[in-house]
Amino acid sequence: KAGVTQTPRYLIKTRGQQVTLSCSPISGHRSVSWYQQTPGQGLQFLFEYFSETQRNKGNFPGRFSGRQFSNSRSEMNVSTLELGDSALYLCASSLFPGDQGSSGNTIYFGEGSWLTVV
Amino acid sequence: DAKTTQPNSMESNEEEPVHLPCNHSTISGTDYIHWYRQLPSQGPEYVIHGLTSNVNNRMASLAIAEDRKSSTLILHRATLRDAAVYYCILRGYNAGNNRKLIWGLGTSLAVNP
Protein backbone atom coordinates (compact mmCIF):
# COMPACT_ATOMS: atom_id res chain seq x y z
CA LYS A 1 0.00 0.00 0.00
CA ALA A 2 1.11 3.57 -0.57
CA GLY A 3 3.17 5.21 2.14
CA VAL A 4 2.84 8.62 3.70
CA THR A 5 2.92 11.29 1.02
CA GLN A 6 4.03 14.85 1.67
CA THR A 7 3.84 17.80 -0.68
CA PRO A 8 5.65 19.87 -1.67
CA ARG A 9 9.04 18.24 -1.22
CA TYR A 10 11.03 21.44 -1.47
CA LEU A 11 10.05 25.07 -1.21
CA ILE A 12 11.60 28.45 -0.65
CA LYS A 13 9.70 31.25 1.05
CA THR A 14 10.47 34.80 2.09
CA ARG A 15 10.40 36.05 5.67
CA GLY A 16 6.92 37.19 6.62
CA GLN A 17 5.14 34.92 4.16
CA GLN A 18 3.04 31.97 5.14
CA VAL A 19 3.26 28.36 4.00
CA THR A 20 0.96 25.37 3.89
CA LEU A 21 2.27 21.81 3.81
CA SER A 22 0.17 18.80 2.99
CA CYS A 23 0.24 15.20 4.17
CA SER A 24 -1.67 12.14 3.01
CA PRO A 25 -1.44 9.32 5.56
CA ILE A 26 -1.37 5.63 4.86
CA SER A 27 -4.82 4.37 3.93
CA GLY A 28 -6.74 3.44 7.07
CA HIS A 29 -4.55 5.49 9.40
CA ARG A 30 -6.47 8.13 11.32
CA SER A 31 -3.65 9.63 13.35
CA VAL A 32 -1.34 12.18 11.76
CA SER A 33 1.58 13.86 13.52
CA TRP A 34 3.86 16.63 12.39
CA TYR A 35 7.50 17.17 13.34
CA GLN A 36 10.08 19.83 12.70
CA GLN A 37 13.66 18.70 12.23
CA THR A 38 16.68 20.98 12.32
CA PRO A 39 20.35 20.00 12.69
CA GLY A 40 20.75 21.46 16.14
CA GLN A 41 17.37 20.57 17.66
CA GLY A 42 16.69 17.14 16.25
CA LEU A 43 13.14 15.91 15.83
CA GLN A 44 10.67 18.24 17.52
CA PHE A 45 7.04 17.28 17.91
CA LEU A 46 4.59 19.88 16.58
CA PHE A 47 1.13 18.38 16.93
CA GLU A 48 -0.96 15.30 16.44
CA TYR A 49 -4.43 14.92 14.97
CA PHE A 50 -6.84 12.04 15.25
CA SER A 51 -10.26 11.96 13.65
CA GLU A 52 -10.04 15.68 12.80
CA THR A 53 -9.25 16.68 16.39
CA GLN A 54 -5.95 17.98 17.66
CA ARG A 55 -5.00 15.51 20.31
CA ASN A 56 -1.55 16.64 21.35
CA LYS A 57 0.57 19.71 20.86
CA GLY A 58 4.25 20.48 21.23
CA ASN A 59 5.90 23.68 22.41
CA PHE A 60 5.69 25.80 19.29
CA PRO A 61 4.29 29.33 18.92
CA GLY A 62 0.80 29.95 17.63
CA ARG A 63 2.20 30.72 14.17
CA PHE A 64 2.28 26.96 13.69
CA SER A 65 -1.14 25.45 13.15
CA GLY A 66 -2.64 22.41 11.58
CA ARG A 67 -5.82 20.65 10.71
CA GLN A 68 -7.07 17.29 9.64
CA PHE A 69 -9.82 16.56 7.17
CA SER A 70 -12.47 13.88 7.23
CA ASN A 71 -10.39 11.70 4.89
CA SER A 72 -7.52 11.90 7.43
CA ARG A 73 -5.39 14.07 5.17
CA SER A 74 -3.69 16.81 7.10
CA GLU A 75 -2.23 20.22 6.49
CA MET A 76 0.05 22.35 8.58
CA ASN A 77 0.43 26.08 8.22
CA VAL A 78 3.16 28.42 9.35
CA SER A 79 2.36 32.11 9.25
CA THR A 80 4.72 35.07 9.36
CA LEU A 81 7.71 32.94 8.49
CA GLU A 82 11.02 33.54 10.24
CA LEU A 83 14.49 32.50 9.16
CA GLY A 84 14.56 30.00 12.01
CA ASP A 85 11.61 28.15 10.54
CA SER A 86 13.89 26.74 7.86
CA ALA A 87 13.76 23.01 8.49
CA LEU A 88 12.63 19.62 7.33
CA TYR A 89 8.96 19.14 8.21
CA LEU A 90 7.98 15.53 8.63
CA CYS A 91 4.54 14.04 8.68
CA ALA A 92 3.83 10.66 10.22
CA SER A 93 0.76 8.48 10.38
CA SER A 94 -0.33 5.64 12.60
CA LEU A 95 -3.49 3.69 13.32
CA PHE A 96 -3.98 5.20 16.75
CA PRO A 97 -2.79 8.31 18.58
CA GLY A 98 0.49 8.18 20.45
CA ASP A 99 -1.22 7.88 23.80
CA GLN A 100 -3.06 4.75 22.85
CA GLY A 101 -0.73 1.85 23.06
CA SER A 102 -2.16 -1.17 21.42
CA SER A 103 0.59 -3.54 20.44
CA GLY A 104 2.98 -1.49 18.40
CA ASN A 105 1.04 1.47 16.99
CA THR A 106 3.96 1.92 14.63
CA ILE A 107 4.59 5.35 13.20
CA TYR A 108 5.21 5.67 9.47
CA PHE A 109 6.95 8.78 8.20
CA GLY A 110 6.86 10.57 4.91
CA GLU A 111 9.98 11.84 3.21
CA GLY A 112 9.38 15.35 4.47
CA SER A 113 9.05 18.84 3.09
CA TRP A 114 12.22 20.90 3.02
CA LEU A 115 11.38 24.51 3.79
CA THR A 116 13.93 27.27 3.30
CA VAL A 117 13.08 30.77 4.50
CA VAL A 118 15.17 33.58 3.02
CA ASP B 1 6.69 13.92 29.59
CA ALA B 2 7.82 10.65 28.06
CA LYS B 3 11.57 11.30 27.89
CA THR B 4 14.34 8.98 26.80
CA THR B 5 18.10 9.49 27.04
CA GLN B 6 20.58 8.20 24.48
CA PRO B 7 24.28 8.78 23.77
CA ASN B 8 24.84 11.38 21.08
CA SER B 9 27.02 9.18 18.93
CA MET B 10 28.52 5.72 18.65
CA GLU B 11 30.90 4.04 16.29
CA SER B 12 31.18 0.48 15.11
CA ASN B 13 33.08 -1.61 12.62
CA GLU B 14 31.38 -3.41 9.80
CA GLU B 15 30.22 -6.97 10.57
CA GLU B 16 30.55 -6.41 14.33
CA PRO B 17 27.62 -6.27 16.77
CA VAL B 18 26.38 -2.90 17.97
CA HIS B 19 24.57 -2.23 21.23
CA LEU B 20 22.68 1.06 21.33
CA PRO B 21 21.50 1.97 24.85
CA CYS B 22 18.45 3.99 25.88
CA ASN B 23 17.35 5.12 29.34
CA HIS B 24 13.67 5.74 30.02
CA SER B 25 13.33 6.03 33.77
CA THR B 26 9.90 7.72 33.56
CA ILE B 27 8.35 4.83 31.65
CA SER B 28 4.88 3.85 32.77
CA GLY B 29 3.53 0.34 32.93
CA THR B 30 1.68 0.54 29.64
CA ASP B 31 4.33 2.30 27.56
CA TYR B 32 5.78 0.46 24.61
CA ILE B 33 9.44 1.06 23.78
CA HIS B 34 9.90 1.89 20.11
CA TRP B 35 13.05 2.25 18.09
CA TYR B 36 13.27 4.09 14.81
CA ARG B 37 16.19 5.00 12.63
CA GLN B 38 16.71 7.79 10.16
CA LEU B 39 18.97 7.32 7.18
CA PRO B 40 20.45 10.44 5.57
CA SER B 41 17.87 12.54 3.70
CA GLN B 42 14.99 10.25 4.65
CA GLY B 43 12.20 10.24 7.20
CA PRO B 44 12.62 7.94 10.21
CA GLU B 45 11.67 4.30 9.75
CA TYR B 46 10.45 1.73 12.24
CA VAL B 47 13.00 -0.76 13.57
CA ILE B 48 11.47 -2.66 16.47
CA HIS B 49 9.28 -2.29 19.53
CA GLY B 50 8.64 -4.12 22.80
CA LEU B 51 6.80 -3.97 26.10
CA THR B 52 8.49 -6.26 28.62
CA SER B 53 10.09 -9.22 26.90
CA ASN B 54 13.08 -9.16 24.59
CA VAL B 55 12.13 -9.01 20.94
CA ASN B 56 13.77 -10.09 17.72
CA ASN B 57 13.00 -9.27 14.11
CA ARG B 58 14.89 -9.39 10.85
CA MET B 59 16.43 -5.97 11.46
CA ALA B 60 17.48 -6.09 15.09
CA SER B 61 16.92 -7.33 18.62
CA LEU B 62 15.58 -5.35 21.54
CA ALA B 63 16.71 -6.17 25.05
CA ILE B 64 14.55 -4.65 27.81
CA ALA B 65 15.76 -4.37 31.39
CA GLU B 66 13.72 -6.15 34.03
CA ASP B 67 12.65 -2.84 35.60
CA ARG B 68 11.96 -1.45 32.09
CA LYS B 69 13.90 1.71 32.83
CA SER B 70 16.37 1.01 30.07
CA SER B 71 16.63 -0.91 26.84
CA THR B 72 19.26 -1.80 24.27
CA LEU B 73 18.89 -2.08 20.54
CA ILE B 74 21.19 -4.75 19.17
CA LEU B 75 22.35 -4.87 15.59
CA HIS B 76 23.96 -8.27 15.31
CA ARG B 77 26.24 -7.54 12.36
CA ALA B 78 26.52 -3.89 11.44
CA THR B 79 26.68 -3.00 7.77
CA LEU B 80 27.47 0.31 6.12
CA ARG B 81 23.75 0.68 5.43
CA ASP B 82 23.10 0.73 9.18
CA ALA B 83 24.81 4.12 9.52
CA ALA B 84 21.93 6.30 10.69
CA VAL B 85 20.47 8.19 13.62
CA TYR B 86 18.67 5.82 15.98
CA TYR B 87 15.79 7.09 18.10
CA CYS B 88 14.30 5.44 21.15
CA ILE B 89 10.81 6.69 22.11
CA LEU B 90 7.93 5.64 24.32
CA ARG B 91 4.43 5.07 22.94
CA GLY B 92 1.74 4.29 25.41
CA TYR B 93 -1.70 4.52 26.89
CA ASN B 94 -2.28 7.42 29.22
CA ALA B 95 -5.92 8.33 28.95
CA GLY B 96 -6.73 11.97 29.56
CA ASN B 97 -3.14 13.16 29.69
CA ASN B 98 -1.59 15.41 27.12
CA ARG B 99 1.69 13.60 26.77
CA LYS B 100 4.21 15.27 24.57
CA LEU B 101 6.26 12.87 22.51
CA ILE B 102 9.93 13.73 22.86
CA TRP B 103 12.31 12.31 20.30
CA GLY B 104 15.47 14.15 21.17
CA LEU B 105 18.58 13.94 19.03
CA GLY B 106 18.94 10.16 19.04
CA THR B 107 22.23 8.30 18.62
CA SER B 108 24.20 8.89 15.46
CA LEU B 109 25.79 5.57 14.52
CA ALA B 110 28.86 5.53 12.31
CA VAL B 111 29.93 2.24 10.78
CA ASN B 112 33.52 1.87 9.66
CA PRO B 113 34.37 -0.41 6.73
Side-chain angles (χ1 to χ4, degrees), chain B residues 45-74:
Chain B
E45 64 175 354
Y46 168 80
V47 177
I48 200 167
H49 76 276
L51 184 61
T52 55
S53 304
N54 295 343
V55 184
N56 300 297
N57 68 18
R58 63 176 180 82
M59 289 180 73
S61 296
L62 176 60
I64 301 172
E66 198 169 330
D67 63 5
R68 302 210 323 126
K69 293 187 177 181
S70 66
S71 62
T72 302
L73 179 70
I74 302 167

mmCIF file of all heavy atoms in Angstrom, chain B residues 45-74:
data_model
loop_
_atom_site.group_PDB
_atom_site.id
_atom_site.type_symbol
_atom_site.label_atom_id
_atom_site.label_comp_id
_atom_site.label_asym_id
_atom_site.label_seq_id
_atom_site.Cartn_x
_atom_site.Cartn_y
_atom_site.Cartn_z
ATOM 1 N N GLU B 45 12.373 5.539 10.040
ATOM 2 C CA GLU B 45 11.670 4.297 9.751
ATOM 3 C C GLU B 45 11.671 3.405 10.989
ATOM 4 O O GLU B 45 12.592 3.437 11.806
ATOM 5 C CB GLU B 45 12.323 3.557 8.575
ATOM 6 C CG GLU B 45 13.739 3.095 8.835
ATOM 7 C CD GLU B 45 14.310 2.266 7.694
ATOM 8 O OE1 GLU B 45 13.585 1.950 6.738
ATOM 9 O OE2 GLU B 45 15.514 1.930 7.779
ATOM 10 N N TYR B 46 10.624 2.625 11.107
ATOM 11 C CA TYR B 46 10.452 1.732 12.243
ATOM 12 C C TYR B 46 11.520 0.640 12.247
ATOM 13 O O TYR B 46 11.881 0.098 11.202
ATOM 14 C CB TYR B 46 9.056 1.097 12.160
ATOM 15 C CG TYR B 46 8.825 -0.055 13.103
ATOM 16 C CD1 TYR B 46 8.530 0.175 14.442
ATOM 17 C CD2 TYR B 46 8.875 -1.359 12.638
ATOM 18 C CE1 TYR B 46 8.291 -0.877 15.301
ATOM 19 C CE2 TYR B 46 8.645 -2.429 13.490
ATOM 20 C CZ TYR B 46 8.345 -2.185 14.824
ATOM 21 O OH TYR B 46 8.122 -3.226 15.671
ATOM 22 N N VAL B 47 12.036 0.331 13.438
ATOM 23 C CA VAL B 47 12.997 -0.761 13.565
ATOM 24 C C VAL B 47 12.389 -1.906 14.376
ATOM 25 O O VAL B 47 12.291 -3.036 13.902
ATOM 26 C CB VAL B 47 14.306 -0.285 14.249
ATOM 27 C CG1 VAL B 47 15.253 -1.458 14.444
ATOM 28 C CG2 VAL B 47 14.975 0.806 13.423
ATOM 29 N N ILE B 48 11.936 -1.605 15.584
ATOM 30 C CA ILE B 48 11.467 -2.661 16.471
ATOM 31 C C ILE B 48 10.745 -2.030 17.646
ATOM 32 O O ILE B 48 10.926 -0.846 17.929
ATOM 33 C CB ILE B 48 12.663 -3.527 16.952
ATOM 34 C CG1 ILE B 48 12.213 -4.892 17.472
ATOM 35 C CG2 ILE B 48 13.498 -2.766 17.971
ATOM 36 C CD1 ILE B 48 13.380 -5.870 17.649
ATOM 37 N N HIS B 49 9.899 -2.783 18.325
ATOM 38 C CA HIS B 49 9.284 -2.285 19.532
ATOM 39 C C HIS B 49 9.072 -3.441 20.520
ATOM 40 O O HIS B 49 9.061 -4.605 20.120
ATOM 41 C CB HIS B 49 7.945 -1.595 19.251
ATOM 42 C CG HIS B 49 6.820 -2.555 18.966
ATOM 43 N ND1 HIS B 49 6.600 -3.075 17.716
ATOM 44 C CD2 HIS B 49 5.863 -3.067 19.776
ATOM 45 C CE1 HIS B 49 5.560 -3.882 17.750
ATOM 46 N NE2 HIS B 49 5.091 -3.903 18.987
ATOM 47 N N GLY B 50 8.880 -3.093 21.778
ATOM 48 C CA GLY B 50 8.642 -4.119 22.795
ATOM 49 C C GLY B 50 7.983 -3.529 24.025
ATOM 50 O O GLY B 50 7.958 -2.308 24.207
ATOM 51 N N LEU B 51 7.465 -4.414 24.869
ATOM 52 C CA LEU B 51 6.803 -3.969 26.097
ATOM 53 C C LEU B 51 7.587 -4.429 27.327
ATOM 54 O O LEU B 51 8.025 -3.610 28.119
ATOM 55 C CB LEU B 51 5.376 -4.510 26.154
ATOM 56 C CG LEU B 51 4.530 -4.060 27.341
ATOM 57 C CD1 LEU B 51 4.364 -2.551 27.333
ATOM 58 C CD2 LEU B 51 3.166 -4.760 27.337
ATOM 59 N N THR B 52 7.752 -5.733 27.462
ATOM 60 C CA THR B 52 8.486 -6.257 28.615
ATOM 61 C C THR B 52 9.542 -7.279 28.204
ATOM 62 O O THR B 52 10.660 -7.270 28.692
ATOM 63 C CB THR B 52 7.539 -6.923 29.625
ATOM 64 O OG1 THR B 52 6.786 -7.928 28.952
ATOM 65 C CG2 THR B 52 6.576 -5.906 30.217
ATOM 66 N N SER B 53 9.174 -8.140 27.286
ATOM 67 C CA SER B 53 10.092 -9.217 26.896
ATOM 68 C C SER B 53 11.015 -8.764 25.782
ATOM 69 O O SER B 53 10.707 -7.857 25.020
ATOM 70 C CB SER B 53 9.297 -10.431 26.409
ATOM 71 O OG SER B 53 8.389 -10.854 27.397
ATOM 72 N N ASN B 54 12.160 -9.428 25.699
ATOM 73 C CA ASN B 54 13.076 -9.156 24.593
ATOM 74 C C ASN B 54 12.409 -9.543 23.284
ATOM 75 O O ASN B 54 11.577 -10.458 23.232
ATOM 76 C CB ASN B 54 14.374 -9.922 24.791
ATOM 77 C CG ASN B 54 15.134 -9.456 26.027
ATOM 78 O OD1 ASN B 54 14.864 -8.368 26.551
ATOM 79 N ND2 ASN B 54 16.064 -10.260 26.486
ATOM 80 N N VAL B 55 12.766 -8.822 22.233
ATOM 81 C CA VAL B 55 12.129 -9.008 20.937
ATOM 82 C C VAL B 55 13.188 -9.145 19.862
ATOM 83 O O VAL B 55 14.247 -8.512 19.943
ATOM 84 C CB VAL B 55 11.216 -7.805 20.600
ATOM 85 C CG1 VAL B 55 10.474 -8.036 19.306
ATOM 86 C CG2 VAL B 55 10.253 -7.513 21.735
ATOM 87 N N ASN B 56 12.875 -9.956 18.859
ATOM 88 C CA ASN B 56 13.772 -10.088 17.715
ATOM 89 C C ASN B 56 12.978 -9.908 16.432
ATOM 90 O O ASN B 56 11.830 -10.344 16.336
ATOM 91 C CB ASN B 56 14.415 -11.489 17.685
ATOM 92 C CG ASN B 56 15.229 -11.771 18.922
ATOM 93 O OD1 ASN B 56 16.217 -11.104 19.187
ATOM 94 N ND2 ASN B 56 14.802 -12.757 19.689
ATOM 95 N N ASN B 57 13.565 -9.261 15.466
ATOM 96 C CA ASN B 57 13.003 -9.274 14.112
ATOM 97 C C ASN B 57 14.163 -9.290 13.135
ATOM 98 O O ASN B 57 15.339 -9.410 13.536
ATOM 99 C CB ASN B 57 12.042 -8.105 13.891
ATOM 100 C CG ASN B 57 12.706 -6.752 13.881
ATOM 101 O OD1 ASN B 57 13.921 -6.619 13.714
ATOM 102 N ND2 ASN B 57 11.910 -5.722 14.064
ATOM 103 N N ARG B 58 13.849 -9.209 11.859
ATOM 104 C CA ARG B 58 14.890 -9.387 10.853
ATOM 105 C C ARG B 58 15.908 -8.246 10.873
ATOM 106 O O ARG B 58 17.016 -8.363 10.378
ATOM 107 C CB ARG B 58 14.273 -9.509 9.458
ATOM 108 C CG ARG B 58 13.535 -8.295 9.002
ATOM 109 C CD ARG B 58 13.024 -8.416 7.560
ATOM 110 N NE ARG B 58 12.313 -7.223 7.156
ATOM 111 C CZ ARG B 58 12.903 -6.115 6.730
ATOM 112 N NH1 ARG B 58 14.213 -6.045 6.660
ATOM 113 N NH2 ARG B 58 12.192 -5.066 6.366
ATOM 114 N N MET B 59 15.513 -7.112 11.459
ATOM 115 C CA MET B 59 16.427 -5.968 11.463
ATOM 116 C C MET B 59 17.316 -5.948 12.692
ATOM 117 O O MET B 59 18.489 -5.561 12.604
ATOM 118 C CB MET B 59 15.645 -4.660 11.418
ATOM 119 C CG MET B 59 14.978 -4.359 10.098
ATOM 120 S SD MET B 59 14.084 -2.799 10.133
ATOM 121 C CE MET B 59 15.411 -1.627 10.127
ATOM 122 N N ALA B 60 16.749 -6.293 13.853
ATOM 123 C CA ALA B 60 17.481 -6.093 15.094
ATOM 124 C C ALA B 60 16.860 -6.891 16.228
ATOM 125 O O ALA B 60 15.844 -7.562 16.048
ATOM 126 C CB ALA B 60 17.473 -4.601 15.461
ATOM 127 N N SER B 61 17.484 -6.779 17.385
ATOM 128 C CA SER B 61 16.924 -7.326 18.619
ATOM 129 C C SER B 61 16.778 -6.200 19.621
ATOM 130 O O SER B 61 17.541 -5.228 19.593
ATOM 131 C CB SER B 61 17.836 -8.417 19.198
ATOM 132 O OG SER B 61 17.916 -9.510 18.337
ATOM 133 N N LEU B 62 15.809 -6.348 20.494
ATOM 134 C CA LEU B 62 15.579 -5.354 21.538
ATOM 135 C C LEU B 62 15.644 -6.067 22.878
ATOM 136 O O LEU B 62 14.862 -6.998 23.130
ATOM 137 C CB LEU B 62 14.216 -4.684 21.363
ATOM 138 C CG LEU B 62 13.801 -3.689 22.442
ATOM 139 C CD1 LEU B 62 14.793 -2.536 22.531
ATOM 140 C CD2 LEU B 62 12.394 -3.149 22.154
ATOM 141 N N ALA B 63 16.570 -5.622 23.716
ATOM 142 C CA ALA B 63 16.710 -6.174 25.053
ATOM 143 C C ALA B 63 16.172 -5.148 26.043
ATOM 144 O O ALA B 63 16.625 -3.998 26.054
ATOM 145 C CB ALA B 63 18.167 -6.480 25.348
ATOM 146 N N ILE B 64 15.203 -5.562 26.865
ATOM 147 C CA ILE B 64 14.550 -4.651 27.806
ATOM 148 C C ILE B 64 14.924 -5.061 29.230
ATOM 149 O O ILE B 64 14.781 -6.226 29.603
ATOM 150 C CB ILE B 64 13.018 -4.691 27.628
ATOM 151 C CG1 ILE B 64 12.668 -4.291 26.188
ATOM 152 C CG2 ILE B 64 12.334 -3.753 28.623
ATOM 153 C CD1 ILE B 64 11.202 -4.477 25.839
ATOM 154 N N ALA B 65 15.378 -4.092 30.005
ATOM 155 C CA ALA B 65 15.755 -4.374 31.388
ATOM 156 C C ALA B 65 14.551 -4.835 32.188
ATOM 157 O O ALA B 65 13.407 -4.498 31.872
ATOM 158 C CB ALA B 65 16.353 -3.122 32.020
ATOM 159 N N GLU B 66 14.806 -5.592 33.231
ATOM 160 C CA GLU B 66 13.720 -6.149 34.032
ATOM 161 C C GLU B 66 12.838 -5.055 34.627
ATOM 162 O O GLU B 66 11.614 -5.203 34.703
ATOM 163 C CB GLU B 66 14.303 -7.010 35.155
ATOM 164 C CG GLU B 66 13.308 -7.963 35.773
ATOM 165 C CD GLU B 66 13.956 -8.975 36.676
ATOM 166 O OE1 GLU B 66 15.125 -9.342 36.429
ATOM 167 O OE2 GLU B 66 13.300 -9.373 37.641
ATOM 168 N N ASP B 67 13.437 -3.942 35.040
ATOM 169 C CA ASP B 67 12.651 -2.840 35.600
ATOM 170 C C ASP B 67 12.108 -1.898 34.517
ATOM 171 O O ASP B 67 11.433 -0.913 34.829
ATOM 172 C CB ASP B 67 13.461 -2.038 36.631
ATOM 173 C CG ASP B 67 14.678 -1.358 36.018
ATOM 174 O OD1 ASP B 67 14.853 -1.428 34.775
ATOM 175 O OD2 ASP B 67 15.456 -0.770 36.763
ATOM 176 N N ARG B 68 12.418 -2.196 33.274
ATOM 177 C CA ARG B 68 11.955 -1.454 32.093
ATOM 178 C C ARG B 68 12.459 -0.007 32.035
ATOM 179 O O ARG B 68 11.969 0.771 31.234
ATOM 180 C CB ARG B 68 10.440 -1.468 31.991
ATOM 181 C CG ARG B 68 9.850 -2.851 31.927
ATOM 182 C CD ARG B 68 8.560 -2.979 31.152
ATOM 183 N NE ARG B 68 7.656 -1.849 31.287
ATOM 184 C CZ ARG B 68 7.161 -1.171 30.265
ATOM 185 N NH1 ARG B 68 7.479 -1.489 29.032
ATOM 186 N NH2 ARG B 68 6.345 -0.168 30.473
ATOM 187 N N LYS B 69 13.403 0.335 32.845
ATOM 188 C CA LYS B 69 13.896 1.710 32.832
ATOM 189 C C LYS B 69 15.012 1.908 31.816
ATOM 190 O O LYS B 69 15.522 3.030 31.659
ATOM 191 C CB LYS B 69 14.363 2.105 34.231
ATOM 192 C CG LYS B 69 13.197 2.183 35.222
ATOM 193 C CD LYS B 69 13.625 2.737 36.547
ATOM 194 C CE LYS B 69 12.409 2.869 37.461
ATOM 195 N NZ LYS B 69 12.748 3.439 38.770
ATOM 196 N N SER B 70 15.383 0.885 31.138
ATOM 197 C CA SER B 70 16.366 1.009 30.069
ATOM 198 C C SER B 70 16.159 -0.112 29.067
ATOM 199 O O SER B 70 15.515 -1.126 29.370
ATOM 200 C CB SER B 70 17.793 0.956 30.626
ATOM 201 O OG SER B 70 18.059 -0.310 31.167
ATOM 202 N N SER B 71 16.689 0.116 27.876
ATOM 203 C CA SER B 71 16.627 -0.911 26.843
ATOM 204 C C SER B 71 17.855 -0.770 25.953
ATOM 205 O O SER B 71 18.544 0.262 25.972
ATOM 206 C CB SER B 71 15.341 -0.798 26.026
ATOM 207 O OG SER B 71 15.266 0.442 25.356
ATOM 208 N N THR B 72 18.107 -1.798 25.174
ATOM 209 C CA THR B 72 19.257 -1.803 24.271
ATOM 210 C C THR B 72 18.836 -2.356 22.930
ATOM 211 O O THR B 72 18.248 -3.451 22.859
ATOM 212 C CB THR B 72 20.401 -2.658 24.836
ATOM 213 O OG1 THR B 72 20.777 -2.151 26.127
ATOM 214 C CG2 THR B 72 21.600 -2.625 23.907
ATOM 215 N N LEU B 73 19.108 -1.591 21.896
ATOM 216 C CA LEU B 73 18.888 -2.075 20.537
ATOM 217 C C LEU B 73 20.161 -2.763 20.082
ATOM 218 O O LEU B 73 21.251 -2.187 20.197
ATOM 219 C CB LEU B 73 18.564 -0.913 19.602
ATOM 220 C CG LEU B 73 18.346 -1.299 18.140
ATOM 221 C CD1 LEU B 73 17.045 -2.065 17.993
ATOM 222 C CD2 LEU B 73 18.350 -0.065 17.243
ATOM 223 N N ILE B 74 20.030 -3.970 19.577
ATOM 224 C CA ILE B 74 21.193 -4.751 19.168
ATOM 225 C C ILE B 74 21.137 -5.004 17.663
ATOM 226 O O ILE B 74 20.181 -5.601 17.161
ATOM 227 C CB ILE B 74 21.248 -6.090 19.928
ATOM 228 C CG1 ILE B 74 21.280 -5.835 21.445
ATOM 229 C CG2 ILE B 74 22.472 -6.901 19.495
ATOM 230 C CD1 ILE B 74 21.011 -7.067 22.278
#
